[in-house]
Amino acid sequence: MAEPKSITIPAAVDLHVHFREPSTNKAETIDSGSKAAALGGYGLVCDMPNNPGNPTWTMEKLTAKQAIIKKSSYIPIATYTGSQPESDNLAELPKMAAKSIGLKLYGAATTGNFVDYDPAAFDKIVAAWHKAASAKPIMLHSGKDNLAEFISLITGRHSHPLHICHVNSAADVKLVEQARETGAKISCGVCPHHIFKSESDVRTQGWFARMQPPLVDEDSAAELFKLFATGEIDVLETDHAPHLTVDKWAAELENPDAIHDPNHRTCFGVPGIEFALPLLFYQMSRGRINLDRIIDATSKKPAKIIGVKLSPTTKVTWRLEKYRVGDKYPKGLSGSGWTPYMNNLAVGIVEKSVVGGKTLIENGKLIARLSQVANSGSVV
Ligand SMILES: [Zn+2]
């Protein structure tokens, strides 16, 4: 058989990961998550603030997380500030804004929170953030029916740049487009699981396929992929949110019907950063998306949204070998030890990676770390 071809492309940038450290979730660490990211072709990721049991709502927590990044990360990581109506941290926002890449808001029922919020409850937070960092985006996890109101609050009332995380419906993409047409600075992203898995997986895999927002039916997933491939959805964001299989199992055994209230165990989220690009390259090999669009969606656009510059030398060489994920990586590549993509076909193994002028991967092996905290204005 002929040697598979290689391609060298800009390192990928992920706007949305949960590397879980420091927190009560032991499925991932900065070390293991950034290793999975590097092996997945990423050169920069942005870590979300809702660490279980330890949200990044104060300067002290933010500094503690960044200290771990500076010690143990394989690739540069930027961090988000968190603020919720109940977090009572308005006074902390100016200090945290200077050290963060953006602000994450949870407007939805998700882990540890059981109702969708009234967007008006975030008015003071948005005003304070805008005053502190008018160019640093707000990343929104919207609720089921409050997206339009959030868009109007953030991009209308406060004229602040907004990124809608993990859209899972064409209707949400439409709302983003409409806002863009009125001049709003707005973007949106889709996750690998919302285009490569579907709610039929929940029927057969239970909690191993549950996440927030939930998977959608097969037709909607195909529609989302199309919106992504044509560029109506701006970026791919992995929402890499690992859990150990014992914790997925506990939720499955105790709460198989997935009742979402404080009396029932829940365990939303899946790992995904390590195979995000190989899953896309497989689609590329089938003619469903082109390479320019993949580079745009996984590197150029996300870097632009957070105001980071990618150096022309920050590049990843992929060997375009085709494989079934479960055959090649039965335990995945993340610290959680499993992957929801066991049966998926994939193309691409990272041969070489150079980030920030440093060779991190050579001949497929991680050989160095670049343990840096990135911020807007950084050159990576
Ligand atoms: Zn998330």
Side-chain angles (χ1 to χ4, degrees):
M1 222 166 75
E3 267 287 292
K5 274 199 316 190
S6 286
I7 50 167
T8 299
I9 60 174
V13 175
D14 194 351
L15 297 180
H16 194 152
V17 304
H18 300 265
F19 283 173
R20 308 300 200 190
E21 194 182 7
S23 83
T24 52
N25 179 324
K26 301 302 175 202
E28 197 79 283
T29 59
I30 300 284
D31 174 276
S32 67
S34 64
K35 184 176 178 181
L39 292 170
Y42 283 81
L44 171 66
V45 301
C46 305
D47 192 61
M48 288 295 172
N50 63 333
N51 291 34
N54 201 18
T56 317
W57 285 347
T58 62
M59 191 62 201
E60 194 188 342
K61 302 262 186 214
L62 188 70
T63 307
K65 187 189 268 189
Q66 294 190 346
I68 302 172
I69 293 169
K70 287 177 197 160
K71 259 202 330 240
S72 61
S73 182
Y74 279 93
I75 58 172
I77 300 182
T79 52
Y80 291 109
T81 289
S83 188
Q84 292 293 108
E86 67 276 17
S87 65
D88 194 21
N89 63 346
L90 284 181
E92 293 280 300
L93 293 187
K95 284 177 279 172
M96 296 174 83
K99 299 281 181 186
S100 307
I101 203 92
L103 172 71
K104 176 69 182 280
L105 299 179
Y106 292 87
T110 182
T111 305
N113 165 44
F114 304 97
V115 288
D116 286 354
Y117 287 81
D118 174 3
F122 289 85
D123 187 55
K124 282 199 181 107
I125 295 172
V126 177
W129 184 260
H130 185 70
K131 196 168 165 218
S134 62
K136 292 191 175 185
I138 290 177
M139 317 296 285
L140 176 71
H141 181 152
S142 80
K144 236 170 147 20
D145 300 308
N146 58 16
L147 179 59
E149 269 181 88
F150 265 114
I151 291 175
S152 135
L153 172 79
I154 297 168
T155 70
R157 184 169 150 79
H158 293 284
S159 301
H160 197 87
L162 173 64
H163 177 80
I164 310 302
C165 297
H166 42 49
V167 290
N168 73 341
S169 79
D172 287 358
V173 178
K174 186 115 219 146
L175 287 176
V176 172
E177 257 166 47
Q178 284 166 352
R180 195 179 274 143
E181 277 162 19
T182 68
K185 270 195 194 152
I186 191 167
S187 55
C188 65
V190 73
C191 301
H193 44 262
H194 288 126
I195 51 180
F196 296 133
K197 293 181 74 68
S198 75
E199 67 186 8
S200 75
D201 293 324
V202 179
R203 194 156 54 80
T204 56
Q205 297 161 25
W207 272 99
F208 287 83
R210 288 195 191 279
M211 50 218 91
Q212 291 291 2
L215 297 177
V216 293
D217 65 51
E218 192 74 29
D219 288 347
S220 306
E223 193 181 9
L224 284 172
F225 179 79
K226 220 178 252 171
L227 291 167
F228 172 70
T230 53
E232 273 133 292
I233 294 175
D234 300 278
V235 303
L236 187 84
E237 60 188 72
T238 68
D239 197 1
H240 179 86
H243 292 276
L244 293 172
T245 55
V246 288
D247 294 323
K248 285 285 194 188
W249 266 118
E252 182 60 29
L253 295 173
E254 289 173 32
N255 185 17
D257 292 327
I259 298 162
H260 195 194
D261 70 21
N263 303 316
H264 290 83
R265 187 190 278 264
T266 59
C267 190
F268 296 109
V270 289
I273 198 166
E274 62 276 46
F275 301 120
L277 271 86
L279 296 176
L280 284 180
F281 290 147
Y282 173 67
Q283 297 303 318
M284 180 176 83
S285 77
R286 304 289 300 124
R288 296 169 190 144
I289 186 168
N290 66 48
L291 184 60
D292 283 348
R293 176 62 195 137
I294 292 178
I295 294 170
D296 194 45
T298 63
S299 183
K300 286 185 187 166
K301 272 206 176 161
K304 195 171 170 215
I305 288 169
I306 50 172
V308 166
K309 257 194 147 40
L310 279 187
S311 149
T313 60
T314 292
K315 294 221 152 144
V316 173
T317 301
W318 291 87
R319 190 173 81 246
L320 295 181
E321 178 185 328
K322 182 172 171 183
Y323 53 95
R324 180 180 161 273
V325 170
D327 291 340
K328 194 131 199 128
Y329 304 104
K331 290 186 174 248
L333 283 166
S334 96
S336 64
W338 71 285
T339 167
Y341 301 110
M342 283 294 277
N343 292 312
N344 286 68
L345 295 179
V347 171
I349 292 169
V350 173
E351 269 289 303
K352 184 177 170 90
S353 169
V354 179
V355 178
K358 197 168 180 183
T359 301
L360 304 184
I361 297 178
E362 188 85 88
N363 298 320
K365 297 259 176 297
L366 263 172
I367 56 165
R369 293 173 195 260
L370 190 60
S371 310
Q372 285 179 356
V373 174
N375 202 340
S376 46
S378 295
V379 181
V380 170

